[in-house]
Amino acid sequence: MHTSTVRSVRRMPAIGAVVALAAGMLVAVAPSAHAAAAAGATLPFTSVEAESATTTGTKIGPDYTQGTLASEASGRQAVQLSSGQRVEFTVPRAANAVNVSYSVPDGQSGSLDVYVNGTKLARTLPVTSKYSYVDTGWITGSRTHHFFDDARLLLGQNVQAGDKVAFVATGTQVTVDVADFEQVAAAAAQPSGSVSVVSKGADPSGNGDSTGAFRDAIAAAQGGTVWIPPGDYKLTSSLNGVQNVTLQGAGGWYSVVHTSRFIDQSSSAGNVHIKDFAVIGEVTERVDSSPDNFVNGSLGPGSSVSGMWIQHLKCGLWLTGTNDNLVVENNRILDTTADGINLNGTAKGVRVSDNFLRNQGDDSLAMWSLYGPDTGSSFENNTISQPNLANGIAIYGGTDITVRGNLVSDTNALGSGIAISNQKFLDPFSPLAGTITVDGNTLVRAGAMNPNWNHPMGALRVDSYDSAINATVNITNTTITDSPYSAFEFVSGGGQGYPVRNVNVTGATVRNTGTVVVQAEAQGAATFKNVTATGVGSAGVYNCPYPANSGPFTLTDGGGNSGWSGSWSDCSSWPQPGQGNPAPDPNRNLAKGRPATATGFQDVYTPGKAVDGDANSYWESANNAFPQSLTVDLGSSYAVRRLVLKLPPSSAWGARTQTVTVLGSTDGSAYSTVAGSQGYRFDPATGNTATVSLPGDANLRYLRLSVSANTGWPAGQFSEVEAYLTP
């Protein structure tokens, strides 16, 4: 799924395992004592970044700019090879196979010559742009994307840690991103009693059409196993009616099915088990009306998918209907033009775990509660790299959902590492409900600029896009490293200002975030406990709810927080990575656009109207109930010297005197009197404004105006409250 609503820049406006790039190798560093386990999947390969290898080519990046090649690379860096140039990797482990993530210019193809310890192999690694450069013009904010692809090769020999494997570009420029080194086990033997697709006429050379043979084998093996021997098999249409059967291959490197639509069925009695082979498609564009997926629809209850290599499809699994207690584990899903896996409503007890996903053209993992809530389902211990349009993990509605122990890195445009959202896209939609558990996840270089909003999305986003978040959202034991922008974002992405409530963030480590730790842009509340930050780029908190009159976002300090106490001072501008918090303009109205609360309000005359920059809109307190007060959170403590209080300038407003006491606080709890009770005259003939001078020792973050009398109306009334540093 993607975020498409256009929203202009506003002019009001856990400790899990640490993931480090050690010598260019993605490694899991031992977690802190209270963390359960390292985040991410247990993988059969080790990845090495090309920028850490020896090369005669050119290193590109790092770059976070949408539409650039480096921005979609792992680590936001890669190595560009002209024809004849090489990149040489030091092998990190015993291996006999390699998978390379690469890119070639649009419309071109070529190959990589492969050398092991200086000796050229007879086999080359073909490279092509065929599956890259995807355009999705109907998705607002998207640009040409999906630049990288994967190509794999069995080396035909064993290599050991410390050996050298080199790749030389031939026939075209090749950008090499990362190499995955793997020790592939021998092909598995046929299970006893199974029905081989070859016995039903399947062609393992890949030349003939094996669709009928697969269907016949499935029909013959009901209650048993269909065996897919080593070989390449071409299917020209999808399978359906698949139930009560196991489909098993000799391993994902050996048994390969070539089709862009493997299973397409709206229902199944279930007990389907798919394992240990590859499905590689020919999807080169994203066509949302076409079911170009590994599984489209339902596998039925009690089913499983494991040990699969899934590549060059629109989606890996797009699941609808009944899939109760489905298990999807230990799979590789690569180079899809849309989602990796989407639980598209009514998923009950589904567990997606220990999968590796790279280069998705939409959310890598998503739950979308359309037509019925996803319930009691989980994404656990998955490793996700380089989703190039949308989020690493997205939860759109659902009840009692768990996102635990995942590693997400290098998200690109329109997405966060993890999004917990009430964005519905279509109806009927089931919003978030019950308890949403987000525990033990690690996010690396996650978060991106949203071109529709003209401002960034955080590494972990909680979004009341189409409705208020009333579920309990518990975010625990989180590690966020090198986010280009913010760590935690709370937003109402549809621009309607729905509240984000009941959020608890406990035990988080934030390192080297580009702008702020907390980006609060919606009304609501969250409690933070044991959240520590180092290397904060701009300020601890950006707290500027939108719309300005929607209400405040309250951050409750649960204790144990450190390294992110300061607030961004200017809601009329966005912090830039590494900018630091600028000194406020002494002539700027510090109250404009800031969160405002009151003891009460009448009808539509809400507190935010007193700080929205429009002198014709106004706050009016509850009537006939003096005293009444209005409180504005300035975001940081300031030496405020002057207040300008306004009523609408229209002559329809008769002259009046309001009796006002000014109070201030630095913490929102303990208030003291800054200017004692005094009558202030408001007269349309002189602009309907009043100026309040504050003493030189006044220092406050929370500004409170207590109104005890009004000669023109039995309520407190202000159209604008302005606060300035100048006398």
Side-chain angles (χ1 to χ4, degrees), residues 27 30 257 525 654 677:
V27 296
V257 177
S677 178

Side-chain angles (χ1 to χ4, degrees), residues 572-587:
S572 67
S573 67
W574 285 100
Q576 298 301 310
Q579 175 181 349
N581 205 347
D585 178 355
N587 297 311

Side-chain angles (χ1 to χ4, degrees), residues 206-453:
N207 293 318
D209 182 359
S210 296
T211 308
F214 270 68
R215 289 173 176 163
D216 290 345
I218 289 170
Q222 285 299 293
T225 297
V226 170
W227 171 243
I228 306 171
D232 291 273
Y233 302 89
K234 180 173 68 175
L235 303 188
T236 57
S237 60
S238 59
L239 305 176
N240 52 43
V242 180
Q243 57 190 13
N244 196 31
V245 70
T246 296
L247 305 180
Q248 182 176 348
W253 287 81
Y254 303 109
S255 302
V256 182
V257 177
H258 297 273
T259 180
S260 296
R261 302 176 182 179
F262 186 59
I263 292 177
D264 184 8
Q265 56 189 28
S266 60
S267 64
S268 171
N271 192 32
V272 176
H273 304 284
I274 305 172
K275 62 181 182 178
D276 301 336
F277 59 99
V279 173
I280 300 178
E282 286 294 319
V283 176
T284 60
E285 299 292 341
R286 173 174 172 173
V287 181
D288 283 354
S289 59
S290 297
D292 299 329
N293 309 325
F294 164 60
V295 174
N296 188 73
S298 171
L299 292 176
S303 297
S304 66
V305 178
S306 61
M308 296 295 296
W309 183 297
I310 299 166
Q311 188 177 10
H312 293 157
L313 299 164
K314 184 181 72 175
C315 296
L317 293 88
W318 187 275
L319 297 173
T320 60
T322 301
N323 292 284
D324 295 2
N325 302 313
L326 171 70
V327 176
V328 182
E329 62 184 358
N330 300 317
N331 304 288
R332 268 175 271 199
I333 303 177
L334 309 174
D335 310 320
T336 59
T337 60
D339 297 36
I341 298 174
N342 192 309
L343 308 185
N344 190 211
T346 69
K348 297 180 175 65
V350 174
R351 176 171 59 86
V352 177
S353 64
D354 278 290
N355 301 285
F356 177 76
L357 300 99
R358 175 188 284 155
N359 192 33
Q360 271 65 56
D362 210 306
D363 299 321
S364 293
L365 296 177
M367 299 190 201
W368 179 22
S369 289
L370 185 65
Y371 301 114
D374 294 323
T375 304
S377 295
S378 65
F379 293 149
E380 301 182 45
N381 299 107
N382 301 284
T383 294
I384 295 166
S385 182
Q386 302 150 266
N388 42 72
L389 192 70
N391 308 282
I393 295 175
I395 307 300
Y396 304 110
T399 300
D400 296 331
I401 303 300
T402 297
V403 179
R404 175 175 286 125
N406 301 283
L407 169 60
V408 182
S409 60
D410 295 306
T411 61
N412 211 283
L414 297 170
S416 299
I418 296 174
I420 307 299
S421 177
N422 269 346
Q423 187 172 9
K424 63 182 181 179
F425 300 97
L426 296 171
D427 283 312
F429 173 75
S430 299
L432 297 164
T435 299
I436 311 301
T437 300
V438 184
D439 175 59
N441 299 288
T442 294
L443 310 177
V444 182
R445 296 177 298 274
M449 182 60 67
N450 186 323
N452 299 327
W453 295 353

Side-chain angles (χ1 to χ4, degrees), residues 5-210:
T5 297
V6 177
R7 194 168 57 137
S8 61
V9 63
R10 293 182 282 233
R11 292 299 174 188
M12 42 120 274
I15 315 305
V18 180
V19 171
L21 194 63
M25 191 184 307
L26 196 64
V27 296
V29 179
S32 301
H34 64 281
T42 301
L43 301 175
F45 58 85
T46 300
S47 299
V48 182
E49 300 286 343
E51 61 270 20
S52 72
T54 302
T55 184
T56 59
T58 302
K59 295 180 182 181
I60 62 171
D63 192 348
Y64 292 83
T65 307
Q66 181 185 5
T68 63
L69 186 58
S71 74
E72 287 194 14
S74 173
R76 314 299 177 117
Q77 300 179 76
V79 169
Q80 202 160 73
L81 306 177
S82 297
S83 185
Q85 292 184 319
R86 65 192 282 125
V87 58
E88 184 176 79
F89 292 86
T90 300
V91 178
R93 54 172 289 169
N96 60 6
V98 65
N99 177 70
V100 176
S101 175
Y102 71 91
S103 176
V104 298
D106 195 8
Q108 297 189 24
S109 60
S111 64
L112 289 169
D113 290 339
V114 185
Y115 293 77
V116 175
N117 294 324
T119 300
K120 183 179 177 180
L121 301 187
R123 295 187 61 192
T124 62
L125 197 62
V127 293
T128 179
S129 64
K130 178 180 180 180
Y131 307 100
S132 305
Y133 301 94
V134 173
D135 290 299
T136 51
W138 67 92
I139 299 177
T140 305
S142 71
R143 300 178 184 176
T144 301
H145 58 282
H146 207 64
F147 301 132
F148 286 89
D149 194 19
D150 287 81
R152 64 181 187 170
L153 179 70
L154 287 167
L155 297 173
Q157 61 182 286
N158 292 316
V159 295
Q160 303 302 319
D163 285 346
K164 306 294 184 181
V165 173
F167 302 95
V168 177
T170 302
T172 187
Q173 179 190 84
V174 184
T175 300
V176 178
D177 180 20
V178 64
D180 307 327
F181 290 93
E182 178 176 357
Q183 185 71 46
V184 177
Q190 180 175 355
S192 176
S194 62
V195 177
S196 171
V197 294
V198 173
S199 73
K200 297 298 182 179
D203 179 5
S205 73
N207 293 318
D209 182 359
S210 296

Side-chain angles (χ1 to χ4, degrees), residues 425-567:
F425 300 97
L426 296 171
D427 283 312
F429 173 75
S430 299
L432 297 164
T435 299
I436 311 301
T437 300
V438 184
D439 175 59
N441 299 288
T442 294
L443 310 177
V444 182
R445 296 177 298 274
M449 182 60 67
N450 186 323
N452 299 327
W453 295 353
N454 292 321
H455 75 261
M457 306 175 87
L460 197 160
R461 184 174 89 254
V462 184
D463 190 349
S464 57
Y465 197 103
D466 285 310
S467 60
I469 290 182
N470 295 314
T472 297
V473 181
N474 293 328
I475 303 169
T476 54
N477 303 323
T478 308
T479 299
I480 298 176
T481 301
D482 295 334
S483 170
Y485 299 102
S486 62
F488 299 99
E489 180 187 16
F490 306 95
V491 66
S492 186
Q496 300 302 307
Y498 297 113
V500 176
R501 305 189 182 101
N502 309 318
V503 179
N504 303 292
V505 181
T506 305
T509 295
V510 177
R511 297 183 180 90
N512 303 323
T513 188
T515 57
V516 297
V517 174
V518 175
Q519 182 177 327
E521 306 172 80
Q523 62 169 312
T527 298
F528 291 81
K529 182 178 181 180
N530 296 329
V531 176
T532 62
T534 55
V536 176
S538 299
V541 178
Y542 175 97
N543 193 346
C544 303
Y546 177 86
N549 60 0
S550 61
F553 189 87
T554 302
L555 284 78
T556 299
D557 185 351
N561 301 306
S562 66
W564 55 285
S565 58
S567 294

Side-chain angles (χ1 to χ4, degrees), residues 668-715:
S669 298
Y671 283 83
S672 59
T673 299
V674 178
S677 178
Q678 183 176 328
Y680 294 93
R681 183 71 173 170
F682 296 83
D683 190 336
T686 56
N688 241 1
T689 68
T691 299
V692 182
S693 296
L694 302 185
D697 60 352
N699 190 59
L700 55 91
R701 169 176 173 172
Y702 298 89
L703 169 66
R704 177 170 292 174
L705 304 176
S706 178
V707 183
S708 57
N710 182 344
T711 61
W713 195 258

